[in-house]
Amino acid sequence: MNRALRALAVCGSIGVLLSACSKTDGPAVPAEKASADAAFQKKLQEQLLDAKPGTVIEIPAGSYHLTSGLTLRGDGVTIRGAGMEKTILSFKGQVTGPEGLLVYGNGFTIENLTIQDSKGDGLKINDGDTITVRKVKVQWTGGPKVTNGAYGIYPVKTRNVLIEDSVAIGASDAGIYVGQSNGVIVRRSRAEGNVAGIEIENTVNADVYDNVATNNTGGILVFNMPNLSQPGHSTRVYKNKVDKNNLGNFAARGTAVASVPAGSGIVINSNSKVEIFDNDVTDNQTANVIISSYHSTGYYTEKGVSANYDPYPKAIYVYGNRFKGGGDSPDGLDLKALKIAMYGLSGHLPDVLWDGYVDNKLLVKGVLPAEQRICVQNDAEVLNADGPNKYKNPSKDAAPFRCELAKLPPVTIVQLAAQS
């Protein structure tokens, strides 16, 4: 960026910041504090504009009120705070820029800080390779609202992504979301109070483990959406605690996650080669595991669906999990009626709920090829809801699901190889 443009960007952001001090939703920022925060934002944006490969931008402890989104365009940059609870970037009074922090670059690391109350997405990382997000919290502090930003931690079209020891709270779409990416690890993180806690969408080779997803509408989601740059496959979800994801859905109408029923533990939609194992999945009131097709979601696209889009879940392997509770109060009239019809007023839907949609073109004597089946171990109950026939002939027969699939290899990404 040339000097004149840089000066305009910095001065513009400071002018907005100073003029907006009285427009925040919370208490007015005292003039002295507003002046200090204006100086801080000016310096920080200059550091982002000037950053070169190898630059480490240290943000000291403190709570800083910003009213303009921040942008980094450059490779090999680290942004480091003094600690998740010590360095807080608050965008509650944000006037310009949709994101809190928007990043375009490779070799990017951000760690040890909190981003709060951004107007749109909290931390968006677009089209980068070798991305590390460590001990970062993104939060909307006013509770669940449709006006909260859609995504908390949001790498999209990225490669070799590590998200660890991080927290996402209050996103109106997904707290931790990785989309259209390849080579992803999400571990030791917490998602709470979001519509979707952790979501892996149209992504290839992802490991999601040692996380806690609680009090979201849906805990952990693995989705394939139509009309995106790539289909996803090969995701392992394991050693997670997925508990009490019963929060009412507060997503914007028409978004994909607006179709997720409250009380959904782990949801697989239209994805393939997904393993769910060694998780503790408990007290999710619709079902602990939901396996579904695009056809049962209700989020049909107005532009139609690409001819090469596969709407069916295939090669789904559920085994070695610990299920408890759940299924006792499903969300939505259809599922409530299904529960009562199959299990009575005091009963509950089983741990694994499948909508029943199958790719009929692949059936051989009524059965999918062995490598594309839905396989469920654990002696877990499975309900085929018969979605194609509007739940007219649901089946509790678990025999079709008693099978095994080849296990997926662990995901290896550049960061881990470099650190070993």
Side-chain angles (χ1 to χ4, degrees), residues 265-338:
I266 300 173
V267 184
I268 311 303
N269 183 260
S270 306
N271 213 293
S272 63
K273 298 182 181 178
V274 180
E275 279 186 55
I276 304 169
F277 65 97
D278 200 14
N279 300 283
D280 291 284
V281 192
T282 54
D283 296 329
N284 301 286
Q285 290 178 336
T286 290
N288 285 325
V289 175
I290 298 174
I291 302 170
S292 62
S293 160
Y294 170 84
H295 295 303
S296 68
T297 59
Y299 56 79
Y300 296 103
T301 172
E302 294 179 0
K303 298 179 181 179
V305 175
S306 171
N308 63 358
Y309 174 65
D310 185 352
Y312 302 101
K314 295 173 180 173
I316 312 299
Y317 196 12
V318 182
Y319 64 94
N321 300 284
R322 293 163 294 280
F323 296 124
K324 180 181 177 183
D328 54 322
S329 183
D331 187 22
L333 294 177
D334 288 342
L335 290 176
K336 290 181 188 297
L338 179 65

Side-chain angles (χ1 to χ4, degrees), residues 4-69:
L5 286 175
R6 189 182 74 175
L8 180 62
V10 172
C11 292
S13 67
I14 298 305
V16 168
L17 194 154
L18 288 171
S19 67
C21 291
S22 62
K23 298 180 183 179
T24 62
D25 293 333
V29 179
E32 185 176 347
K33 172 63 173 167
S35 177
D37 286 345
F40 166 81
Q41 181 162 321
K42 178 178 183 293
K43 178 181 178 182
L44 179 55
Q45 187 61 74
E46 286 179 338
Q47 288 177 299
L48 294 171
L49 291 168
D50 289 338
K52 303 291 189 296
T55 296
V56 178
I57 299 173
E58 301 273 3
I59 304 178
S63 182
Y64 306 97
H65 296 83
L66 312 179
T67 57
S68 181

Side-chain angles (χ1 to χ4, degrees), residues 338-418:
L338 179 65
K339 193 228 25 163
I340 292 170
M342 298 294 293
Y343 301 97
L345 283 170
S346 60
H348 58 84
L349 292 174
D351 290 311
V352 181
L353 177 64
W354 175 44
D355 67 359
Y357 284 90
V358 65
D359 191 346
N360 291 318
K361 298 189 302 294
L362 298 180
L363 296 178
V364 178
K365 296 183 179 180
V367 179
L368 283 171
E371 69 277 6
Q372 297 196 24
R373 295 174 65 184
I374 296 172
C375 297
V376 180
Q377 300 294 321
N378 294 105
D379 293 326
E381 287 188 68
V382 184
L383 178 63
N384 173 357
D386 192 32
N389 296 306
K390 298 184 178 180
Y391 306 135
K392 289 182 180 178
N393 297 296
S395 171
K396 295 190 284 186
D397 183 8
F401 305 96
R402 298 302 186 227
C403 51
E404 296 183 6
L405 294 171
K407 295 180 180 179
L408 298 170
V411 172
T412 301
I413 60 176
V414 169
Q415 290 93 328
L416 297 184

Side-chain angles (χ1 to χ4, degrees), residues 172-339:
S172 64
D173 195 298
I176 298 173
Y177 171 102
V178 185
Q180 302 174 71
S181 296
N182 196 322
V184 174
I185 292 177
V186 180
R187 66 185 181 190
R188 300 194 306 267
S189 294
R190 182 178 184 89
E192 182 171 358
N194 311 282
V195 176
I198 299 171
E199 182 173 358
I200 306 298
E201 185 176 279
N202 291 71
T203 286
V204 178
N205 296 325
D207 274 355
V208 180
Y209 65 93
D210 285 340
N211 303 287
V212 175
T214 185
N215 193 36
N216 307 283
T217 300
I220 299 176
L221 280 56
V222 184
F223 273 34
N224 256 347
M225 295 292 292
N227 308 329
L228 295 180
S229 62
Q230 68 177 31
H233 61 80
S234 303
T235 296
R236 303 192 310 160
V237 178
Y238 63 100
K239 294 185 178 178
N240 301 285
K241 182 176 176 62
V242 185
D243 180 56
K244 295 184 178 70
N245 291 284
N246 302 315
L247 182 65
N249 194 317
F250 60 100
R253 186 174 299 178
T255 59
V257 294
S259 68
V260 175
S264 299
I266 300 173
V267 184
I268 311 303
N269 183 260
S270 306
N271 213 293
S272 63
K273 298 182 181 178
V274 180
E275 279 186 55
I276 304 169
F277 65 97
D278 200 14
N279 300 283
D280 291 284
V281 192
T282 54
D283 296 329
N284 301 286
Q285 290 178 336
T286 290
N288 285 325
V289 175
I290 298 174
I291 302 170
S292 62
S293 160
Y294 170 84
H295 295 303
S296 68
T297 59
Y299 56 79
Y300 296 103
T301 172
E302 294 179 0
K303 298 179 181 179
V305 175
S306 171
N308 63 358
Y309 174 65
D310 185 352
Y312 302 101
K314 295 173 180 173
I316 312 299
Y317 196 12
V318 182
Y319 64 94
N321 300 284
R322 293 163 294 280
F323 296 124
K324 180 181 177 183
D328 54 322
S329 183
D331 187 22
L333 294 177
D334 288 342
L335 290 176
K336 290 181 188 297
L338 179 65
K339 193 228 25 163

